[in-house]
Amino acid sequence: KLKPKTTLGQVLTILDKENITATQKELVTILLALPNIKDVKFNIVKDSDLDVDTFGEYDVADNFIRVGVSGDVQTVLHEATHAATANQLTKHISRGGVGKTEAGKELVKLYNTTVEAIAGRGFTNELENIDEFIAGAFNNPDFQRVLARIDS
């Protein structure tokens, strides 16, 4: 159903009508309400067109999501979260991971606290950088449960 679609808006509209989890449905609703998210370019690609062990990617410069044929709803929503948050994150956090604003400083502090608390206990992708941390916090229920138990 998603292969012929060329924008994230088209994809999210289809997902909104599918049998997905309540959490996924809520995220789809939120994403569809965001300005400009519907215009993000989207394409299903061969898995070999992506980095190894990657099911999808969001290219900030091109505003383009590519999901491999092995990707699933979770992959689409993960990349959609990157599309929704990437530009805002750069306003608050430098490329070197330093907070530029009070919100950015708090987010970096939360990220660092989380890394210290759970490093070596899995969630390698979610702890890779602040972008993956944010996407994981929105999309990974297991990560959400761990985050809820960390004092911040």
Side-chain angles (χ1 to χ4, degrees), residues 63 123 138-139:
N63 200 29
F123 303 107
F138 276 102
N139 291 288

Side-chain angles (χ1 to χ4, degrees), residues 45-63:
V45 298
K46 296 183 292 187
D47 290 338
S48 60
D49 290 342
L50 300 169
D51 290 339
V52 176
D53 296 328
T54 302
F55 296 106
E57 65 184 17
Y58 172 63
D59 184 319
V60 177
D62 292 333
N63 200 29

Side-chain angles (χ1 to χ4, degrees), residues 15-16 24 29 33 38 51 55 64-65 68 84 98 101 127 130 135 138:
L15 292 180
D16 196 37
Q24 290 172 333
T29 300
K38 294 178 185 176
D51 290 339
F55 296 106
F64 204 121
I65 291 175
V98 176
T101 64
L127 300 179
I130 199 107
F138 276 102

Side-chain angles (χ1 to χ4, degrees), residues 33-92:
L34 295 175
N36 303 320
I37 200 74
K38 294 178 185 176
D39 298 329
V40 174
K41 294 173 272 186
F42 182 90
N43 195 10
I44 301 288
V45 298
K46 296 183 292 187
D47 290 338
S48 60
D49 290 342
L50 300 169
D51 290 339
V52 176
D53 296 328
T54 302
F55 296 106
E57 65 184 17
Y58 172 63
D59 184 319
V60 177
D62 292 333
N63 200 29
F64 204 121
I65 291 175
R66 291 171 188 81
V67 173
V69 293
S70 296
D72 56 10
V73 171
Q74 201 63 29
T75 305
V76 172
L77 294 178
H78 178 92
E79 300 308 329
T81 301
H82 282 306
T85 60
N87 290 324
Q88 287 300 312
L89 282 175
T90 59
K91 291 179 185 177
H92 298 280

Side-chain angles (χ1 to χ4, degrees), residues 7-22:
T7 68
L8 183 56
Q10 293 169 330
V11 170
L12 293 173
T13 300
I14 288 172
L15 292 180
D16 196 37
K17 297 173 186 162
E18 293 294 313
N19 185 22
I20 57 178
T21 69

